[in-house]
Amino acid sequence: MSAALCREIRSLDQIHARETIKMALFYVGPGQWSEAEILSNTRADTSLSYCNFVQSLGWAVDLATFSRYTGKLERDGSDGSTCPYFADEGVEVVFHESTSMPTSVGDPRQLNKTLAAVQVMDREFGAAIFDELTKRISVVAADDGSSIDSSLQAFLRQVMPSAVLYSQSGRAANTTKLALSEAVDEDEFEFALGEQRITRANGAAADSARHSLPADILISQEFIHSHRASVGCAGALLQYLETKCTSKSQGIAVVAWRLKSFMKVDPDTLSYLQIVDERRHPNMHSQSKYCEATSLFTLLDKTKSTAGREMLRRWVLCPLQMLPELLERQDAIAALSADSLSATLKDIRQVLSRARPVRAACLRIRSELHLADLESLVQFSYAIVKLHRLVASMGPMPKLIREVSIYAFLALDQSVFVELGCMIIDTVDFDASRTEERPVVAANVNSGVDHLRDTFEHLDDVLAIASATMEEATGVPVVAVYFPQLGFLSSIDTSRFLCPPGAEPCLDGWALKFQSDKQRYYKNSITDALDASPGDVFSQLHDAEAEVLLELQNKIRVRSLDVAHAAELAAQIDCLQSLAGVATLHGYCRPQIGDGGCYHIVQGRHPIVESLSAKDFIPNDVHLPGPQCAHEYSHAEQARRTLVIVGPNASGKSVLARQTALAVYMAHIGSYVPATHAVIGLTDRIAAMGRASESLSRRQSALSTDLRAVSTILEHAGPDSLVVLDEFGRGTSPIDGIGLLSGALELLALGPNGQPASLVVTHFHEIAGIQRIKAVWRKARIRSMRFKEGSAGPVYLFK
């Protein structure tokens, strides 16, 4: 029997007789979208059917005492106490069931993209964000004119933190349902402690890193004392990271960060307008996570990359009030929609579809190299270089991507990504790495690695010569073997020692090291010489490869911020091409956005209804002029900012109200709008009341819910707001309903905050004859949805 065959047989003994499989199992609750929401689910959050499904998979085994295959689940309780397990004569399956695993904000294994802290102090909203990739804590300067709840919701929608810290007694504790959360002692949020910790952190940060920060984000004493609540949050974050996540707390810089100015939209309005649809797809095998074309987001989502999709969702949830950025997005859409660039745009989409997410890879590479991360970086580098060339080939762009973000895509040094991709490809042998399931250094990268690998590959020849020499010396079959870390040994079958006295092998100078049932293993002068040269070649080879890979890891780590910046820009391009594709597909127009509070929408359409309808959508005009409106549509009869639409049920009045609000909303994303012409004023708030549902959990009737909503709307709506009241007053008697609606109309048209642009939809056609609100009609106008009588009843014209 040859030495090589002996080694193969011994290796075979170490292989499991049954195939081993590990599977990950996640519970996704209704309306859950983010990673943090899904991973924070516990067994108590799941449904009965899910629990029954888990129980049907196998047996619940105790990880602390279970001696069989566990798929590398820890036995110390950090991965939970039990897991589902199944086995038969041919296979062992262990299920990594996420709801059984404890999930903590401070879990060092977690890749926290953004860890946030929030608090409310003396009616001031404060927040701070830690980004692990950039090693920065951003102290948030919130909008002073917003309510606490709206500031909190706007912050969470814009930042989408992976986890949130909040004060145990703080009002911001309602974030627990929005992300992975943890309560912290309220003393940690004190301003004085926060100021001290910020000073200490910035003092400890490397001068080179601090000086490289842009001047406009360096934190000043004036900023610190102007945003006391946010400073307290930054202090709580610093203390938490130092206590729970020591590895992440080194070299942190604390900077100032201002939230973008967003149009305020409450959750009820988002639901009324169907901005996002939280329902999951009914077909679990569908490529889409959402029901098709049931929300504005799914309608606009033609993105090709995961990062682009996540960014578009943020854009859709956070409509801007920043006119320059809105105009830049429109310019980009106009450029990308040009007929002459259709072929280039197709190539751009193809490249984007191949770009893998790399932010998590950049974080992981800081601690260890994974083959999948290296492959992702190579593909991403190729995609960025290709994308750069495609964008550059499009010619001069009017503000396209040159100013649409902080980092100009065309100004990126693509040689960085050429070098990065080539460096990884030249260093790593991906074919061998896939076989060995670890990064393997390629040939001709390091002479020492090449020499050790060549030695290891020819080790059988060395062992064969050593075996022959020892066999000749002892007169019995001897096999020279090599074990990593143990070195070289001589192996003799134990049957050779079952012989009469005096006939045993002559083993003078041989030292028995250990034995098995069938073999005895010795050290002797020949194995000692082999231990000296070539030595523990396998371990030496791995050590040499580790040094090469560590050097590669350090070089990648230096470029991680460049990769992250490029990924953000690529995601923005993906969002822009998505909006451009939808605008071209559905024939949307570019709206004119400006100050003045004017809303003139010609031949407007409802984007979602239009996409679902098999028939042609019947468009409508809506004109809500501003105080100094000079547009052609603002003649005297129309110079009223409140439009009351009356009509019977199913006549299309609610669709008209929604499509108008959606056009305004889409314009503030930077998107084109479904109309032939649109003039839209810069809007600070869209507030809608419509179709409230009674709920035992709310403990309020539909009327009570509507009254609260309208009260909030009337309190906060101003001259730059758009208000939609859909069937207000329908939840009570007609007389009381008309009275409530009359009061709301009076406050909208004549209220002290300034008249907002308002669309009021009602089936109370008697409203026009109410004498008490006669003064309202000087600032409001009423229109009816048309219909005609048919043989089977009324035929609605939807006009």
Side-chain angles (χ1 to χ4, degrees), residues 203-377:
D207 288 338
S208 59
R210 292 177 61 197
H211 293 326
S212 65
L213 296 174
D216 61 336
I217 67 171
L218 290 173
I219 198 163
S220 64
Q221 286 298 315
E222 180 183 359
F223 183 93
I224 287 175
H225 288 278
S226 299
H227 302 88
R228 299 171 69 89
S230 293
V231 168
C233 292
L237 268 181
L238 283 166
Q239 181 64 19
Y240 187 88
L241 292 169
E242 185 176 339
T243 305
K244 300 287 185 71
C245 313
T246 307
S247 61
K248 300 177 183 179
S249 63
Q250 307 299 319
I252 292 176
V254 184
V255 300
W257 187 62
R258 294 191 176 275
L259 283 172
K260 290 183 178 179
S261 182
F262 289 105
M263 183 171 69
K264 300 171 185 64
V265 188
D266 60 75
D268 289 338
T269 301
L270 291 174
S271 176
Y272 173 76
L273 297 178
Q274 294 178 272
I275 301 302
V276 291
D277 186 356
E278 301 294 2
R279 292 176 296 167
R280 314 304 283 189
H281 203 288
N283 178 5
M284 65 179 291
H285 301 291
S286 171
Q287 295 295 319
S288 172
K289 294 182 180 179
Y290 298 89
C291 301
E292 294 297 331
T294 55
S295 70
L296 180 64
F297 171 66
T298 51
L299 176 71
L300 298 178
D301 182 22
K302 304 298 181 186
T303 55
K304 300 299 180 181
S305 64
T306 302
R309 191 171 194 271
E310 292 175 355
M311 179 170 287
L312 181 63
R313 186 177 174 87
R314 287 198 295 271
W315 283 16
V316 170
L317 284 172
C318 301
L320 293 172
Q321 268 191 289
M322 305 170 68
L323 185 59
E325 188 162 341
L326 290 174
L327 294 178
E328 287 165 8
R329 289 182 185 179
Q330 288 185 352
D331 288 342
I333 293 171
L336 291 169
S337 301
D339 293 338
S340 59
L341 297 178
S342 59
T344 304
L345 190 59
K346 182 179 179 180
D347 291 339
I348 287 176
R349 289 170 177 152
Q350 188 175 13
V351 171
L352 288 169
S353 67
R354 296 174 180 172
R356 294 188 185 181
V358 290
R359 183 180 174 87
C362 290
L363 286 169
R364 280 191 294 266
I365 280 175
R366 289 185 169 183
S367 57
E368 57 183 330
L369 284 181
H370 291 278
L371 181 62
D373 293 337
L374 293 172
E375 290 178 326
S376 295
L377 285 171

Side-chain angles (χ1 to χ4, degrees), residues 73-244:
L73 287 177
E74 299 292 343
R75 302 179 186 273
D76 59 3
S78 60
D79 287 332
S81 58
T82 64
C83 72
Y85 170 85
F86 172 81
D88 61 16
E89 65 276 3
V91 67
E92 286 183 272
V93 184
V94 63
F95 297 89
H96 294 194
E97 202 272 306
S98 63
T99 66
S100 298
M101 299 180 180
T103 307
S104 168
V105 175
D107 190 338
R109 295 170 298 176
Q110 208 175 288
L111 287 173
N112 289 326
K113 303 177 182 70
T114 49
L115 173 62
V118 296
Q119 73 159 329
V120 177
M121 184 181 74
D122 299 329
R123 297 198 58 78
E124 176 190 354
F125 170 74
I129 315 150
F130 170 64
D131 188 328
E132 186 181 350
L133 185 60
T134 60
K135 286 285 190 178
R136 290 182 189 174
I137 287 180
S138 301
V139 184
V140 174
D143 184 0
D144 295 333
S146 301
S147 67
I148 300 299
D149 289 336
S150 63
S151 294
L152 174 60
Q153 295 296 329
F155 167 76
L156 292 173
R157 285 203 300 267
Q158 178 181 352
V159 177
M160 290 188 178
S162 305
V164 176
L165 304 178
Y166 63 92
S167 171
Q168 287 177 331
S169 61
R171 183 176 169 186
N174 59 6
T175 59
T176 54
K177 296 299 181 183
L178 300 172
L180 179 62
S181 310
E182 186 166 328
V184 177
D185 190 337
E186 61 180 321
D187 293 341
E188 298 295 339
F189 284 82
E190 287 187 1
F191 167 74
L193 283 175
E195 184 179 19
Q196 293 174 9
R197 290 166 180 166
I198 288 174
T199 303
R200 185 170 66 246
N202 278 346
D207 288 338
S208 59
R210 292 177 61 197
H211 293 326
S212 65
L213 296 174
D216 61 336
I217 67 171
L218 290 173
I219 198 163
S220 64
Q221 286 298 315
E222 180 183 359
F223 183 93
I224 287 175
H225 288 278
S226 299
H227 302 88
R228 299 171 69 89
S230 293
V231 168
C233 292
L237 268 181
L238 283 166
Q239 181 64 19
Y240 187 88
L241 292 169
E242 185 176 339
T243 305
K244 300 287 185 71

